[in-house]
Every structure is written in structure tokens, then in C-alpha cells.
Amino acid sequence: MDDLTSPVNDSSVQLLFSPQFSSNDFIFAEVDKNLVNYFLNGNEIYIRGYNSDEIVLCTTTETFCCKELEVSNSLLILEDTNAFNEVELSEESTSNNLKIVSVTNKFLETSRIRPNLIQKLKELFNGHKIEMFAKDGCSANCGIFLETILCCIQASKEELINKLAELPVIELEGKFYWISNEYILKFIDVIAEAVDNTGKDEIAYFSKDNLLQLISLENIQLETIDWVLNNFCDKNVDGKYSFNESKISRIYIENLLHSLPDKPLDFEDFELKINNLLPKQLYFKEEYLSGFGIV
């Protein structure tokens, strides 16, 4: 293999192929200067996802997609770039050898993205759901550690944690579980029955402590109770909760739509069905259908 020689000032640089030369061990990437500084300051950059996924780089707070580009010029990786800098600064006539570790004409162009995580998280948690009245009084699954999720999901740790906070996910003993819709609906029914204002056509108000005294806590995690109260109830200045009619109606509507057969249903029949399903003192309104794909 021929050597490549290039004059620099009065010095000559001889480019030799290193004994460890390989065209497959390195990947070039063009990255933002801030990302370079982040790495040079001792922080780690992660490549996340499955082998079949496109390459994604992650810091602790940001995610970057990578697009492979091809150029006409050859890109070299040298064994010791400091030696090349010393040659450029030298005023003496010298001969220097620089070793080429790798050559390529491809590189990765990186750009910041906002990862869409919902569908992938749903698929990942498919076997890790909290179910009410599960066999043997507990969920039949083992949950997922955060580090395991990070290995599978192409997002930074901060972005992932923020997204998990928006979803029906709770943490139990260091593991994360998805709260199934069936669980949420059954628990809302449990609350409704416990705080029922018999004979009163109004939404009941209740405190968390009072609720815990009225319901059986068997197969119900306190973290799940908090999640349902925070996401499907309103809290007044006295610290008491009441059902949020819109949010609760929408989850019942979604569940009913998924359960319907693939045939037309008269709107009046649909309204009757949903009102029969809703807790007492909650009533269906057409505005709650906003955002659903109904024809």
C-alpha cells in the first residue's frame, strides 16, 4: 500500500496506514459545538434503541437523530492528531510519520429532535400493567426498571421521565408499571360507590383520608390512588376531591368505543349506553366527544 506524503511548511508528513487500520471500527459524526463541549466536559453520550432502530444520540436532557450522508472526499482518522499539530507549528525541516487508523466517505449528520414516545412506551409496557382484582391479589408482572426503559426507548432520561409523568404510569419499589384503563375504570366505580350522595343530584366531595376509610385497599396501591385522584378529580381549597366530569366521561367514552362492534350505532343508543356506564351524578355531553374520530 503506497504512503501518502504532504508538505507542511518546510516539513514533510508521511501518512502511513496503521497496523490496526480498519474501515469498520469508527463512525464519523458531525455534531453541534455545544454537544462536543458537553462530551469534552466529561459527560456521557448514549446510543439508544434496538439494533433495528435508526441511530439516536442522547444526553441526559436532549435527543439527536442521525442521518447518514456520503461525501466525495475521503475522511481520515489519525492515530495521534497532536503529532499533526506539532508538525504544523514546527519551523524546522523534519520528516514525520502519521498513522491512518480509518478511512471513510460517510458521516452522520445530527439534529435535535423531540421524540414521540407514547406508542413505543405502550408497546413496552404491554406486559407490565397494573390490574385490579388480579389473580393471587397482585399484578402478574414484574414491572420495568428505569434503566431498562432507557435501553429500549430512544430518548434522553429527562425527556423520558417527563413523558412518563404524563402517562398512566406509577413507580413501585423502583419499578414502573402502566395502569390499565380497566383498572382506572374499576377504581373510579369503587370511589363512586364509596362516596355516593344517595338522593342528591350533585357530584360528591370527599377527602383522601375519608376515601381510604370507605374502600378496601386489597389489590389497590396507594400510588395508584394518588394518580387517579390527581388525574380524574378536582381538588378544592379545603383539600377535598370531586370527580372531573369531562375527564371521567372521556375515558368511559374511549373504553366504550373500543368495545363496540364494527357496525353503526345510533347516537341515542350510544348516549344511553354511556350514561348507564358513568358514575351517578355524571352525565354525557356531546362536547366530551371532541377529539374522537367518530363518523
Side-chain angles (χ1 to χ4, degrees):
M1 192 175 290
D2 295 336
D3 297 335
L4 304 176
T5 304
S6 173
V8 179
N9 297 330
D10 294 329
S11 303
S12 63
V13 178
Q14 198 171 38
L15 298 179
L16 307 175
F17 288 95
S18 169
Q20 288 77 39
F21 176 84
S22 172
S23 59
N24 300 317
D25 290 345
F26 298 91
I27 298 176
F28 281 86
E30 183 180 70
V31 298
D32 182 87
K33 184 179 292 185
N34 292 332
L35 188 58
V36 174
N37 292 334
Y38 174 88
F39 180 72
L40 294 179
N41 286 333
N43 299 298
E44 294 181 332
I45 296 177
Y46 306 91
I47 299 176
R48 293 206 168 110
Y50 296 106
N51 291 336
S52 57
D53 292 330
E54 294 184 356
I55 296 177
V56 163
L57 302 180
C58 298
T59 67
T60 56
T61 60
E62 297 178 325
T63 303
F64 299 83
C65 70
C66 298
K67 180 181 179 181
E68 187 176 67
L69 300 179
E70 189 170 338
V71 294
S72 58
N73 296 327
S74 294
L75 306 173
L76 308 180
I77 293 182
L78 302 179
E79 195 169 71
D80 185 1
T81 55
N82 289 328
F84 186 78
N85 293 332
E86 291 172 2
V87 170
E88 287 186 318
L89 296 174
S90 175
E91 296 181 356
E92 299 179 2
S93 177
T94 57
S95 178
N96 296 272
N97 295 334
L98 297 178
K99 294 182 179 179
I100 303 172
V101 178
S102 185
V103 178
T104 184
N105 66 335
K106 297 179 181 179
F107 70 96
L108 298 177
E109 181 183 62
T110 61
S111 58
R112 173 82 189 279
I113 59 171
R114 304 286 183 181
N116 186 358
L117 305 177
I118 294 179
Q119 187 56 40
K120 284 193 173 183
L121 285 171
K122 283 183 177 180
E123 294 171 359
L124 182 63
F125 277 97
N126 190 45
H128 301 271
K129 293 182 178 180
I130 292 287
E131 303 285 357
M132 187 175 284
F133 312 127
K135 187 177 180 180
D136 299 327
C138 64
S139 178
N141 52 69
C142 59
I144 314 177
F145 287 109
L146 180 61
E147 291 305 317
T148 302
I149 303 174
L150 285 170
C151 289
C152 305
I153 299 297
Q154 294 182 294
S156 69
K157 184 175 182 178
E158 181 178 290
E159 290 168 322
L160 174 61
I161 291 175
N162 289 340
K163 180 55 64 176
L164 290 176
E166 299 173 7
L167 298 172
V169 174
I170 60 171
E171 183 179 2
L172 297 173
E173 299 179 351
K175 297 180 181 180
F176 289 83
Y177 297 81
W178 189 284
I179 310 173
S180 69
N181 273 9
E182 291 76 11
Y183 185 110
I184 295 172
L185 292 170
K186 287 178 180 178
F187 185 54
I188 290 174
D189 288 339
V190 169
I191 297 176
E193 184 177 347
V195 301
D196 180 25
N197 275 339
T198 304
K200 296 182 180 180
D201 190 21
E202 61 182 23
I203 298 176
Y205 285 85
F206 56 91
S207 67
K208 178 182 174 181
D209 290 339
N210 187 41
L211 175 65
L212 295 179
Q213 294 175 5
L214 294 172
I215 64 175
S216 169
L217 296 180
E218 184 180 3
N219 305 332
I220 300 178
Q221 299 79 13
L222 291 177
E223 291 83 354
T224 308
I225 295 175
D226 288 334
W227 190 91
V228 172
L229 292 179
N230 291 333
N231 287 274
F232 289 95
C233 295
D234 297 321
K235 191 175 183 180
N236 65 17
V237 293
D238 297 325
K240 291 188 175 182
Y241 294 91
S242 63
F243 283 148
N244 182 298
E245 187 174 61
S246 173
K247 292 180 179 179
I248 289 181
S249 296
R250 287 179 65 82
I251 192 173
Y252 275 86
I253 290 170
E254 180 181 356
N255 192 66
L256 176 59
L257 290 174
H258 286 163
S259 66
L260 291 176
D262 295 331
K263 61 181 182 180
L265 179 67
D266 184 79
F267 184 80
E268 291 183 358
D269 291 338
F270 173 82
E271 186 175 11
L272 179 62
K273 284 180 178 291
I274 197 65
N275 277 326
N276 287 335
L277 291 172
L278 286 171
K280 293 180 180 179
Q281 286 78 48
L282 299 186
Y283 302 98
F284 169 76
K285 297 176 183 177
E286 287 190 35
E287 64 192 66
Y288 298 154
L289 293 174
S290 176
F292 287 104
I294 300 176
V295 293

